[in-house]
């Protein structure tokens, strides 16, 4: 699995109870009076038991689409090789990261769809 701009992730049974029961938390940074945004973060790459990279699943309450992003745990910047995987030699690392993300998505019942179809 390579995350790209043509891939979306959805779950049609998203409500506040489902989000909270599955470990999502209200994210005050992305929420306002009109929208409630929930996020779920988990480590995808560790070194010597320290989290280096973290995945964030983000969903707006009332929508089906889940945004998937990978961040550098120390700087909270997006991890560029995850998005531009054709540059550099990150295949083995990205395969492991994507495997961890896929396992969580599967556990949560989140489906991958291709928007090009």
């Amino acid at each position: 699995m390579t995350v790209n701009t043509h891939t979306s992730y959805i779950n049609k049974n998203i409500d506040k109870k489902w989000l909270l029961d599955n470990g999502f938390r209200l994210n005050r940074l992305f929420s306002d009076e009109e929208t409630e945004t929930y996020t779920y973060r988990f480590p995808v790459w560790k070194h010597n038991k320290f989290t280096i990279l973290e995945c964030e699943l983000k969903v707006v309450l009332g929508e089906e689409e889940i945004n998937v992003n990978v961040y550098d745990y120390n700087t909270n910047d997006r991890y560029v090789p995850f998005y531009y995987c054709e540059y550099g030699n990150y295949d083995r690392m990205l395969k492991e990261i994507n495997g961890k993300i896929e396992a969580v998505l599967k556990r949560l019942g989140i489906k991958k769809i291709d928007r090009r179809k």
Side-chain angles (χ1 to χ4, degrees), residues 2-67:
T2 299
V3 174
N4 61 48
T5 58
H6 302 295
T7 305
S8 293
Y9 301 89
I10 62 166
N11 186 334
K12 295 186 181 208
N13 302 318
I14 296 176
D15 60 13
K16 193 172 188 173
K17 180 180 177 354
W18 184 89
L19 290 166
L20 296 174
D21 287 350
N22 285 288
F24 283 78
R25 296 178 189 252
L26 179 66
N27 188 312
R28 296 182 197 277
L29 273 173
F30 297 121
S31 299
D32 58 28
E33 301 84 33
E34 297 174 12
T35 60
E36 290 182 37
T37 302
Y38 289 81
T39 56
Y40 177 74
R41 295 191 120 181
F42 57 95
V44 291
W45 190 264
K46 290 186 173 192
H47 180 71
N48 292 333
K49 298 184 182 181
F50 293 102
T51 299
I52 305 298
L53 299 175
E54 183 175 57
C55 180
E56 178 187 72
L57 306 178
K58 182 171 74 170
V59 63
V60 174
L61 189 61
E63 295 182 6
E64 298 177 342
E65 188 167 347
I66 293 98
N67 293 309

Side-chain angles (χ1 to χ4, degrees), residues 1-5 7 9 82-83 85-86 94 98 102 112:
M1 175 182 101
T2 299
V3 174
N4 61 48
T5 58
T7 305
Y9 301 89
F82 182 72
Y83 304 93
C85 51
E86 62 270 2
L94 290 173
N98 285 322
E102 282 184 16
K112 177 171 88 169

